[in-house]
Amino acid sequence: MEGRVFGLETPLMTALQHLLDIPDGEAGNAGGEKQGPTRAYVRDARAMAATPADVKELPGAYAFVVDMPGLGSGDINVQVEDERVLVISGERRREEKEDAKYLRMERRMGKLMRKFVLPENADMEKISAVCRDGVLTVSVEKLPPPEPKKPKTIESDFSNGTGNYR
């Protein structure tokens, strides 16, 4: 596809098309030029930019609210990568019917994704997710705050007259 929009060639469209035409795993050429982003990277970056989310801190938990329109709970993946990165993903596919053709397609199709680095006080063992009406809510409970350290009392014996501590 050429970098044309309504018959006009634009540098932006040419650059975007060039990024989208890079096959996965393409190695740099023999001249040692830098390798560009892979298709998967570009697809994931576009998915993260197009997936709206809210993050709330509650007294005992963190809540991640992500719009996942048209997806059921079986179509959504919630994972923790690298011990602290919450990854929420899914893919909305076009409904294929042989007797129908699209005259206009405005609703977003394709991959939906968001990644969040969880704070240090997030309890990685207590993560839950609920999807209702196309809105996914992931709750991550907080770890209890650490106990404040109590001062250490040292007993001393001054009865021997030396003033040494035991």
Side-chain angles (χ1 to χ4, degrees):
M1 177 176 147
E2 295 178 351
R4 294 178 184 255
V5 177
F6 303 113
L8 301 174
E9 186 171 322
T10 64
L12 176 62
M13 289 305 294
T14 303
L16 285 174
Q17 188 60 42
H18 175 70
L19 282 175
L20 295 175
D21 283 342
I22 297 171
D24 286 338
E26 176 181 325
N29 63 15
E33 290 183 24
K34 289 185 179 180
Q35 178 181 348
T38 63
R39 269 194 157 154
Y41 175 84
V42 172
R43 184 186 66 232
D44 288 354
R46 289 178 64 202
M48 286 194 295
T51 305
D54 296 333
V55 180
K56 297 187 271 185
E57 182 176 5
L58 305 169
Y62 296 98
F64 301 86
V65 183
V66 183
D67 287 347
M68 303 292 258
L71 297 182
S73 58
D75 300 325
I76 299 171
N77 296 320
V78 178
Q79 301 174 334
V80 176
E81 293 179 349
D82 301 326
E83 297 185 29
R84 296 210 100 36
V85 179
L86 177 67
V87 180
I88 301 168
S89 64
E91 187 164 357
R92 184 169 169 195
R93 300 186 186 277
R94 183 182 323 182
E95 300 168 4
E96 296 290 336
K97 293 186 179 178
E98 293 190 25
D99 61 339
K101 67 178 184 173
Y102 282 93
L103 300 176
R104 178 175 290 180
M105 185 179 221
E106 295 181 356
R107 296 183 309 142
R108 187 180 185 297
M109 297 292 157
K111 191 168 187 175
L112 301 166
M113 176 189 282
R114 286 305 297 262
K115 292 184 179 186
F116 304 96
V117 177
L118 296 173
E120 291 293 323
N121 67 341
D123 189 343
M124 307 312 273
E125 303 300 318
K126 295 184 181 174
I127 300 174
S128 62
V130 175
C131 186
R132 189 172 297 135
D133 297 330
V135 178
L136 176 72
T137 302
V138 178
S139 297
V140 181
E141 290 189 27
K142 292 181 180 179
L143 291 169
E147 294 284 328
K149 293 191 177 192
K150 296 178 183 175
K152 182 177 178 182
T153 304
I154 301 171
E155 293 184 30
S156 59
D157 181 14
F158 294 105
S159 63
N160 63 7
T162 62
N164 294 331
Y165 294 101
R166 6 175 197 156

